[in-house]
């Protein structure tokens, strides 16, 4: 009989960990679909896909010529109605006009002031801005496009922290909890391992699938992980020392 090579080692006490293993697709911790808030033609685009942006940073500019003309007209109307209101006030105090006439002058002024406020708001909204800080992942618009309110313009995702959301069978409910350590491996990065922690555990079980959601937060300060990557997640739910 041929000898069989074997390896031997001295028995030692040590730590034994129990893990729950699953797979999922990574998602951004925060994302936003940026839409147009007013109607207009895209005049300028300031960012491209892959650019990092800060909250409130301008992303694109719509044509504002029409809005500026409307604002100028409304401001002229407001000044005229302010003078008319002051005259009406003096006449009313001198009991030379009726209360209804005075109220109508006041109403006309307030109505035009409100109209001016709406136009100024639309003028401000003609600059499309980032609602969150993150990376531009999709640009939906092109120069010359005519946008209407709620038309998609950009998609932004915050990638400095990534989430791995698992749908876990209900039989595992008693094992998993907030704060547990997790290891995340990504095939696309040659099985590079990242550390994470259980951030949230859903308080209910989905009756259709018989699973509950567990969210693992993974620090991604170097922006190595990308939303959409396939990942293998291992959550440590039990540890035995000196076993």
């Amino acid at each position: 009989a041929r000898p069989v090579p074997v390896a031997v080692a001295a028995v030692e006490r040590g730590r034994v960990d129990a893990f729950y293993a699953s797979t999922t697709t990574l998602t951004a911790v925060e994302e936003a679909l940026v839409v147009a808030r007013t109607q207009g033609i895209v005049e300028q685009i300031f960012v491209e896909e892959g650019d990092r942006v800060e909250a409130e940073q301008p992303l694109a500019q719509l044509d504002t010529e029409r809005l500026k003309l409307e604002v100028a007209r409304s401001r002229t109307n407001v000044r005229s109605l302010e003078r008319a209101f002051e005259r009406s006030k003096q006449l009313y105090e001198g009991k030379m006009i009726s209360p209804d006439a005075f109220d109508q002058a006041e109403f006309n002024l307030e109505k035009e002031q409100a109209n001016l406020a709406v136009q100024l708001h639309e003028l401000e909204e003609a600059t499309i801005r980032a609602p969150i800080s993150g990376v531009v992942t999709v640009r939906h618009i092109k120069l010359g496009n005519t946008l209407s309110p709620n038309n998609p313009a950009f998609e932004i995702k915050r990638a400095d922290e990534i989430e791995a959301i698992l749908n876990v069978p209900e039989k595992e409910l008693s094992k998993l909890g907030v704060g547990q350590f997790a290891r995340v491996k990504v095939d696309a990065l040659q099985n590079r391992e990242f550390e994470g922690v259980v951030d949230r555990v859903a308080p209910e079980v989905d009756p259709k699938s018989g699973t509950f959601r567990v969210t693992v937060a993974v620090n991604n300060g170097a922006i190595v992980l990308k939303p959409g990557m396939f990942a293998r997640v291992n959550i440590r739910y039990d540890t035995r020392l000196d076993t």
Side-chain angles (χ1 to χ4, degrees):
R2 298 177 59 185
V4 178
V6 296
V8 297
V11 177
E12 297 180 356
R13 288 183 175 272
R15 169 175 165 170
V16 177
D17 295 326
F19 288 89
Y20 171 77
S22 185
T23 59
T24 188
T25 300
L26 300 179
T27 61
V29 70
E30 191 175 14
E31 56 187 59
L33 174 62
V34 186
V35 300
R37 299 290 186 88
T38 189
Q39 184 172 344
I41 298 174
V42 179
E43 195 173 64
Q44 290 179 283
I45 296 176
F46 304 125
V47 297
E48 289 296 340
E49 295 173 356
D51 289 350
R52 290 189 59 82
V53 296
E54 300 298 325
E56 297 303 316
Q57 179 179 329
L59 305 178
Q61 178 65 52
L62 304 184
D63 174 40
T64 59
E65 191 62 31
R66 177 185 59 84
L67 290 172
K68 288 178 179 178
L69 292 173
E70 291 179 353
V71 166
R73 180 179 60 188
S74 293
R75 280 178 170 157
T76 300
N77 291 340
V78 166
R79 288 194 294 268
S80 176
L81 291 170
E82 284 175 341
R83 291 192 294 267
F85 174 72
E86 288 301 321
R87 289 194 300 269
S88 297
K89 184 178 180 180
Q90 293 173 0
L91 293 172
Y92 176 69
E93 291 173 348
K95 300 187 183 300
M96 299 180 66
I97 61 173
S98 67
D100 288 344
F102 174 73
D103 290 342
Q104 185 63 46
E106 184 178 29
F107 170 77
N108 291 340
L109 174 58
E110 292 177 348
K111 179 181 178 182
E112 193 61 26
Q113 287 174 331
N115 184 51
L116 175 59
V118 170
Q119 291 171 348
L120 288 171
H121 177 70
E122 290 186 351
L123 187 60
E124 176 67 22
E125 294 293 346
T127 302
I128 300 175
R129 299 179 182 274
I132 62 172
S133 299
V135 177
V136 178
T137 56
V138 181
R139 173 169 65 87
H140 291 284
I141 60 176
K142 297 180 180 179
L143 288 175
N145 286 167
T146 299
L147 300 185
S148 298
N150 296 321
N151 280 165
F154 298 90
E155 291 181 31
I156 298 175
K157 295 185 178 181
R158 178 184 153 203
D160 58 332
E161 188 171 306
I162 289 289
E163 291 183 338
I165 300 177
L166 310 175
N167 293 310
V168 182
E170 60 181 301
K171 65 180 181 180
E172 309 290 347
L173 183 60
S174 62
K175 297 179 180 178
L176 304 182
V178 174
Q180 290 174 331
F181 170 80
R183 289 201 302 253
V184 178
K185 291 184 178 181
V186 178
D187 292 357
L189 301 175
Q190 289 76 47
N191 284 324
R192 182 174 171 182
E193 189 173 286
F194 299 82
E195 292 186 357
V197 64
V198 176
D199 187 53
R200 301 187 301 276
V201 177
E204 64 178 1
V205 174
D206 183 349
K208 294 182 180 178
S209 63
T211 62
F212 63 100
R213 288 164 61 93
V214 174
T215 302
V216 175
V218 186
N219 186 281
N220 191 34
I223 318 297
V224 176
L225 298 171
K226 308 295 182 183
M229 281 183 166
F230 177 79
R232 305 178 190 278
V233 183
N234 290 273
I235 301 173
R236 186 173 65 203
Y237 64 84
D238 196 10
T239 297
R240 293 287 185 270
L241 299 176
D242 296 329
T243 301

